[in-house]
Amino acid sequence: MKTIRMGVAGTLLAGAAGLGTLGCDVQRALDCAQLALEVTSSVDALSRAVDSGDPVGFSDAADAAQNDLDELRDGFSDTDVSAAADSVAEAIDNIAQQPAGSAPDLSPLNDAVGELTSACAAGD
């Protein structure tokens, strides 16, 4: 689980580091930073619940992540960042739908993070 957590965090940090050099607009950079922080926080909360074997905590973390993403998405002005947020929300929903009792597979977030990185690196 730590490998997934570190992989997601590393990808987000690399994408955020590239923002300063790509000359993207300020609002996109802010949207990307907010979304990256939310994803990192969500992955951490989900991973802690998985590591502790707490299915209720996992469900609560998934619900909280969805609620936080919904609030953020309403404020995004950039369509690419909004689409990346939709992908992250879908990945979290897919993870939350996995059968109880099995170790949840958090890897769907990797694809969503890839979309986030692409959207934030696009810089118009």
Side-chain angles (χ1 to χ4, degrees):
M1 198 54 55
K2 288 183 183 193
T3 302
I4 291 172
R5 195 175 346 183
M6 296 303 288
V8 169
T11 300
L12 289 173
L13 289 174
L19 289 176
T21 61
L22 291 173
C24 65
D25 69 52
V26 173
Q27 188 58 52
R28 178 180 277 200
L30 290 173
D31 288 350
C32 287
Q34 285 181 312
L35 184 55
L37 287 171
E38 177 54 39
V39 171
T40 301
S41 175
S42 297
V43 168
D44 189 48
L46 291 166
S47 295
R48 280 194 314 269
V50 169
D51 291 345
S52 68
D54 181 6
V56 173
F58 182 82
S59 179
D60 290 347
D63 289 344
Q66 287 290 7
N67 290 336
D68 292 344
L69 281 168
D70 287 344
E71 287 178 24
L72 280 177
R73 282 190 295 193
D74 291 341
F76 291 151
S77 59
D78 187 276
T79 57
D80 291 336
V81 177
S82 291
D86 290 343
S87 294
V88 170
E90 183 179 334
I92 291 173
D93 187 51
N94 288 339
I95 290 166
Q97 299 299 321
Q98 293 176 13
S102 64
D105 176 15
L106 299 182
S107 62
L109 280 173
N110 285 333
D111 292 337
V113 167
E115 289 185 42
L116 169 60
T117 302
S118 294
C120 292
D124 292 331

